[in-house]
């Protein structure tokens, strides 16, 4: 069985490869794909088959996908350019005769007002139209996304945001990667759409409490209006596009779009998901290493 993993030079894709190896998949049965050969080299040294690909260059995909019993399509990181890139990948998968595709999507992608949802929703439609068996993994937010927030809190003693009392049902990338490896290596997932999240949804007051514990200093959450939030981010030097994205995302959180916790992730990995405190502690330790 050949399992092909795109995005293997990124955080999630690399962890999926690690999870596959931990589950006993022979290294030679894994093909790790990414844009940079230097980042693929450590996997190649462990016996993993590797290849350099670029979603913007379809000619790099056909041979890389050939012979794949299962293909993990990790969603691209270039917001605004994902649809043509994903279309290229799906078309290449059809040409290569891939057995099935597993795709990392967003929570309730086809019905949500989440700022990230439209590109994922269109990709899900493209997958449905391809005729290939597919499994959709609708991943909630990554706990690691808030490591930068902790770094800021260490300096200022506060977490500033416009998420109000909204909640986030995050889990760690390792949790999601482990679930992905389960889906790639076990039968019965074709056609499934899994809403994946942490076991519990947390508020930003709870995030501040965790930050206080991890940093050894008092941290408070200071809720502000979207306008105040945008002004603060602009004053901090963020560009207009980033400011708009961050404020819109906090609005999505305020509206409850990332706050629904599901047991599905824990069921797939056979254990509770990693808590917010443990996940952030692990991420800070890894970033410091």
């Amino acid at each position: 069985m050949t399992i092909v993993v795109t995005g293997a030079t990124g955080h999630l894709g690399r962890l999926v490869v690690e999870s596959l190896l931990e589950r006993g998949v022979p290294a030679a049965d894994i093909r790790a794909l990414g844009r940079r050969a230097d980042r693929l080299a450590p996997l190649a040294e462990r016996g993993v088959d590797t290849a350099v690909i670029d979603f913007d260059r379809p000619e790099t995909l056909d041979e890389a996908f050939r012979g794949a019993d299962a293909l993990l399509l990790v969603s691209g990181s270039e917001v605004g350019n994902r649809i043509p890139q994903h279309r290229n990948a799906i078309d290449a998968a059809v040409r290569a005769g891939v057995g099935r595709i597993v795709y990392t999507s967003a929570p309730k992608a086809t019905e949500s007002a989440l700022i990230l949802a439209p590109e994922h929703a269109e990709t899900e439609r493209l997958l449905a139209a391809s005729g290939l068996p597919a499994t959709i993994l609708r991943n909630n937010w990554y706990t690691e996304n808030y490591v930068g927030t902790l770094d800021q809190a260490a300096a200022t003693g506060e977490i500033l945001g416009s998420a109000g009392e909204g909640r986030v049902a995050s889990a760690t990338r390792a949790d999601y990667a482990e679930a992905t490896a389960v889906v790639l290596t076990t039968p019965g997932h074709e056609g499934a759409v899994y809403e994946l999240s942490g076991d519990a949804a947390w508020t930003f007051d709870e995030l501040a409490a965790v930050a206080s514990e991890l940093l050894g200093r008092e941290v408070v959450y200071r809720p502000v209006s979207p306008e105040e939030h945008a002004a603060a981010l602009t004053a901090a030097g963020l560009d207009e596009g980033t400011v708009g994205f961050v404020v819109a995302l906090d609005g999505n959180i305020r509206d409850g779009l990332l706050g629904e916790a599901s047991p599905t992730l824990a069921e797939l990995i056979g254990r509770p998901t990693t808590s917010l405190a443990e996940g952030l502690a692990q991420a800070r330790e890894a970033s410091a290493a």
Side-chain angles (χ1 to χ4, degrees):
M1 180 177 180
T2 299
I3 300 174
V4 175
V5 177
T6 72
T9 54
H11 294 297
L12 181 63
R14 177 181 55 80
L15 287 170
V16 171
V17 173
E18 295 289 350
S19 291
L20 289 170
L21 292 170
E22 289 171 5
R23 288 181 62 80
V25 177
D29 291 348
I30 303 169
R31 188 177 305 148
L33 311 178
R35 289 187 177 186
R36 292 181 51 175
D38 59 324
R39 292 188 178 181
L40 290 170
L43 293 175
E45 291 171 0
R46 297 168 64 183
V48 175
D49 186 17
T50 63
V52 174
I53 64 164
D54 187 335
F55 286 160
D56 291 321
R57 297 170 54 212
E59 68 274 12
T60 68
L61 304 177
D62 288 21
E63 183 61 32
F65 289 177
R66 189 163 290 116
D69 296 287
L71 166 68
L72 172 63
L73 176 56
V74 176
S75 58
S77 59
E78 298 177 24
V79 176
N81 199 33
R82 285 169 166 162
I83 293 173
Q85 290 179 338
H86 294 171
R87 181 184 294 112
N88 287 343
I90 293 166
D91 289 347
V94 172
R95 292 193 300 270
V98 166
R100 62 187 176 106
I101 293 183
V102 177
Y103 173 65
T104 60
S105 189
K108 299 187 176 180
T110 55
E111 59 188 79
S112 175
L114 185 68
I115 187 172
L116 294 171
E119 290 179 307
H120 291 292
E122 178 59 22
T123 301
E124 290 189 21
R125 284 189 283 269
L126 291 171
L127 283 168
S130 74
L132 292 174
T135 306
I136 308 299
L137 305 180
R138 290 178 171 172
N139 294 349
N140 200 299
W141 219 229
Y142 300 135
T143 297
E144 292 89 343
N145 291 344
Y146 291 94
V147 171
T149 302
L150 260 65
D151 293 339
Q152 294 166 7
T156 65
E158 67 177 23
I159 294 172
L160 183 144
S162 52
E165 297 180 1
R167 292 178 173 270
V168 179
S170 72
T172 64
R173 288 192 181 97
D175 289 340
Y176 291 115
E178 189 175 336
T180 304
V182 170
V183 170
L184 287 167
T185 56
T186 59
H189 304 287
E190 290 83 352
V193 177
Y194 294 128
E195 298 285 348
L196 303 181
S197 74
D199 293 337
W202 48 263
T203 67
F204 279 73
D205 282 322
E206 291 170 314
L207 175 61
V210 167
S212 297
E213 180 181 346
L214 292 177
L215 298 173
R217 64 162 297 177
E218 183 181 8
V219 176
V220 298
Y221 170 49
R222 181 159 70 91
V224 296
S225 70
E227 294 75 18
E228 291 170 322
H229 194 190
L233 293 171
T234 300
L238 275 67
D239 64 84
E240 182 179 356
T242 302
V243 169
F245 175 81
V246 172
V247 173
L249 182 63
D250 266 25
N252 291 159
I253 294 171
R254 189 173 61 249
D255 293 339
L257 302 186
L258 291 178
E260 187 172 329
S262 162
T264 307
L265 178 54
E267 290 168 356
L268 283 171
I269 62 180
R271 60 169 175 80
T273 60
T274 308
S275 69
L276 175 65
E278 184 180 354
L280 285 175
Q282 292 172 352
R284 292 187 76 236
E285 182 178 346
S287 65

